[in-house]
Amino acid sequence: MIHAACHTADEAMRVEFDATPWFEQADPAAIARLAKRGWSAPWVADALEHRTGYEALRDLIRYARDRLEIESREDPSWPTFECRVDGAEATAWLERHRSDIAAEMRRAASRGRDEVAG
C-alpha cells in the first residue's frame, strides 16, 4: 500500500487513501514528474476519484471544484486541493513492482547530483 492524503485549500476536508492503483497504471513519465514535485500533485487524486472505494476522495474533489473554484476565479493558479503521496512507500513499491522505473529515477537523481558537483 502506498499511503496518500488530500486536503482542501480551506482545510475543510481531508481524505487518506491508497494510491497504489495509480502507480500500477501510471506511465513512467508521470511517476517521474510526481517524484520531482516532492510526491505532491492533484492528478493522482483526479485519476482515482471515480474508482469504487474512493467515494470520500470524490467528495473532496467535488467540494474543491464546486465551492473553492468559485472563490479562486481571481487567481486561477490557486490550488483548491493538495494531494501528497508517501514518497518512501512509493519508492519502495516501485523497487518491488516496477523496478525499471525505480532504476531510471535513481539514474536521473545521480545525473542531477553529478551536474551540481561538476
Side-chain angles (χ1 to χ4, degrees), residues 42-90:
W43 64 74
V44 176
D46 288 335
L48 295 173
E49 73 173 302
H50 295 292
R51 293 179 74 114
T52 301
Y54 289 81
E55 290 80 8
L57 185 58
R58 184 170 33 257
D59 292 343
L60 180 145
I61 293 171
R62 185 178 305 124
Y63 172 84
R65 287 181 182 143
D66 293 349
R67 300 270 318 268
L68 300 179
E69 278 186 8
I70 293 168
E71 296 173 18
S72 69
R73 284 190 181 148
E74 293 164 11
D75 181 5
S77 66
W78 183 68
T80 57
F81 70 96
E82 265 186 40
C83 191
R84 179 167 300 280
V85 172
D86 185 302
E89 288 180 1

